[in-house]
Amino acid sequence: MNLISLHAIWLGETQCRYCAVRSSALFAGLEESDFRHIHQPINERTLVPSDALYRMNEPGNTLFTLRSGVMKLVQYLPDGNQRIVRLLRDGDALGLETLVGPSYQHDAIALTDCEICAIPVEVINRLGREQPRLYQELMTRWQRALSEADVWLTQFSTGPARQRVARLLLHLACPAQDSHLLLFGREDMGAMVGLTTETVSRIIAELRRQGLLRDRGVNLHECNREQLRRIADGEA
Amino acid sequence: MNLISLHAIWLGETQCRYCAVRSSALFAGLEESDFRHIHQPINERTLVPSDALYRMNEPGNTLFTLRSGVMKLVQYLPDGNQRIVRLLRDGDALGLETLVGPSYQHDAIALTDCEICAIPVEVINRLGREQPRLYQELMTRWQRALSEADVWLTQFSTGPARQRVARLLLHLACPAQDSHLLLFGREDMGAMVGLTTETVSRIIAELRRQGLLRDRGVNLHECNREQLRRIADGEA
DNA sequence: CGCCCAGTTGAGGACACTCAATAGCGGTGG
DNA sequence: CCACCGCTATTGAGTGTCCTCAACTGGGCG
């Protein structure tokens, strides 16, 4: 653990005030004066791929902000199969459920290196009492999660395999303007769109053969957005 | 519109205080004194099947509580197909998204006769400023919606058709202890589990032939929970 | 009585899954 | 440095499921 995060552990007040992602993070929009109310330690954690931040049904009273990286939220089926219900990226909140319930509802697992802020629910409750505005911010997070859940249901769980994969690729490429995207393991991608790893592999291999997907390094690819869009909309 | 609802329109303060579903509704947990802060009209509406409460992308600043009945939230795919992303029942909230955004994110359509309270966002904001506790209640609604969304993704959009339908039936029978459940149109059920109406029809017909589902009136059925559970878990 | 709509059933084919074999890639140890 | 191992991705063959298209049924209602 480096000096900066050591520092942050004991100085949540200071840390969040100057946090690099503050404008997109939970405390965005809080007044300077509000930071005086944060007297509790705000931990910082770093994860490497496949690390779990928390597990399903694990009791907890900490919510998290993802400062950088990508994480998956996983739930399991009776037969042991897993289904990825959401991806989280910079600025997204994890573990909101601990604000209203005793335990976490998913496995939260890192897909890339991740930096995370851990905020005790206690801090939120105290701050919220003074600053209802914080609740606006929280509700925005909740809405973002819900909206994303709807996308996963309509885009990634409906229609033929080619369409689902194409939609997923577009979604993964979305944040970047240059059509570059990070591909994950085939098994994970299968769990995202409700298909087997073989089917996903076949489709991606075919897209590569058709030139809609070009290799650009380790798991990094460049895609043809227009063509993918046509496939995603069922026009091909 | 009957006398009671006419009354309710102008007396939100009185209405919510004595509301029949108050214990499970949005204002559950508010102190008596808090009701004095409701000075705005709280409308009441009734819907019949296929009525729309609101439409996707429609601007709005009203959120709703479903006092009785069942409603569906629908989103549409590029090819015009619809996908039902959630069902709402007694005590559920609709239109939470207007608390943080300008417009609704789904079509909200009645599946049965419905009674609904309409609450202006303005009222929530004013009340929330005085009573942060209201936000706890709101966050509970949000969490319920999100949790339901996860169920739809893992239970109703994953695995073979028989399992999905069995899980849906169990879900619909869930609130009743006597294993009675209300079946909806095959088209709607298809849109819930991501299958065609024909496939759903075939599966339900087969379940009936096997005696796992018995007719008990108009769309009302009685089901064999244990057997359905075995199918849902892939043991049959 | 006949229309209309929803549900059911059938036949055929496309699609995705299963099982199995192969290929590629990075790491480890001799 | 190379041989080997383990893991992931890819590819193939065969099967089963689900979709499409189409016909038929039955109840509700004008």
Side-chain angles (χ1 to χ4, degrees), chain B residues 9-189:
Chain B
I9 288 175
W10 300 112
L11 294 177
E13 177 182 349
T14 302
Q15 193 228 336
C16 292
R17 193 183 308 188
Y18 301 113
C19 172
V21 292
R22 183 183 145 197
S23 67
S24 69
L26 192 58
F27 294 148
L30 288 193
E31 306 293 328
E32 281 294 321
S33 62
D34 299 328
F35 285 96
R36 257 181 267 122
H37 294 286
I38 308 179
H39 297 304
Q40 293 242 344
I42 293 193
N43 278 293
E44 195 175 85
R45 294 184 56 179
T46 63
L47 303 177
V48 301
S50 90
D51 277 356
L53 181 59
Y54 53 76
R55 296 275 179 189
M56 187 159 166
N57 294 323
E58 179 183 304
N61 50 8
T62 309
L63 69 85
F64 305 90
T65 292
L66 185 53
R67 299 181 61 192
S68 69
V70 182
M71 299 196 67
K72 62 175 175 180
L73 292 187
V74 185
Q75 280 189 338
Y76 299 89
L77 297 158
D79 62 8
N81 269 353
Q82 61 169 290
R83 181 84 209 234
I84 298 177
V85 299
R86 231 172 305 143
L87 286 187
L88 300 162
R89 294 193 257 226
D90 311 354
D92 281 328
L94 294 91
L96 285 172
E97 58 264 42
T98 54
L99 284 170
V100 299
S103 59
Y104 298 106
Q105 300 295 307
H106 318 86
D107 279 12
I109 297 180
L111 289 179
T112 67
D113 290 336
C114 291
E115 296 180 298
I116 290 158
C117 284
I119 308 161
V121 167
E122 170 65 17
V123 170
I124 299 291
N125 288 338
R126 181 137 30 82
L127 214 54
R129 237 171 278 138
E130 319 274 338
Q131 273 298 327
R133 156 147 213 177
L134 176 60
Y135 285 114
Q136 280 294 328
E137 205 61 42
L138 281 170
M139 291 197 296
T140 300
R141 301 315 155 99
W142 238 304
Q143 169 57 14
R144 199 192 295 177
L146 200 49
S147 183
E148 184 81 355
D150 289 340
V151 167
W152 283 60
L153 201 60
T154 55
Q155 307 286 309
F156 304 155
S157 305
T158 310
R162 294 175 53 77
Q163 290 187 26
R164 297 193 199 181
V165 173
R167 294 185 193 129
L168 177 62
L169 294 178
L170 286 170
H171 192 75
L172 293 178
C174 172
Q177 279 77 15
D178 56 358
S179 296
H180 280 65
L181 61 86
L182 199 59
L183 282 195
F184 301 109
R186 300 292 174 269
E187 194 154 353
D188 278 338
M189 297 186 64

Side-chain angles (χ1 to χ4, degrees), chain A residues 49-91:
Chain A
S50 89
D51 277 355
L53 181 59
Y54 53 76
R55 296 276 177 186
M56 187 158 167
N57 294 323
E58 178 182 305
N61 50 9
T62 309
L63 70 83
F64 305 90
T65 292
L66 185 53
R67 300 181 62 192
S68 70
V70 182
M71 299 196 67
K72 61 175 176 180
L73 293 186
V74 185
Q75 280 190 339
Y76 299 89
L77 297 159
D79 63 7
N81 268 352
Q82 63 169 298
R83 180 84 207 233
I84 298 176
V85 299
R86 233 172 303 141
L87 285 187
L88 300 162
R89 295 193 257 225
D90 311 354

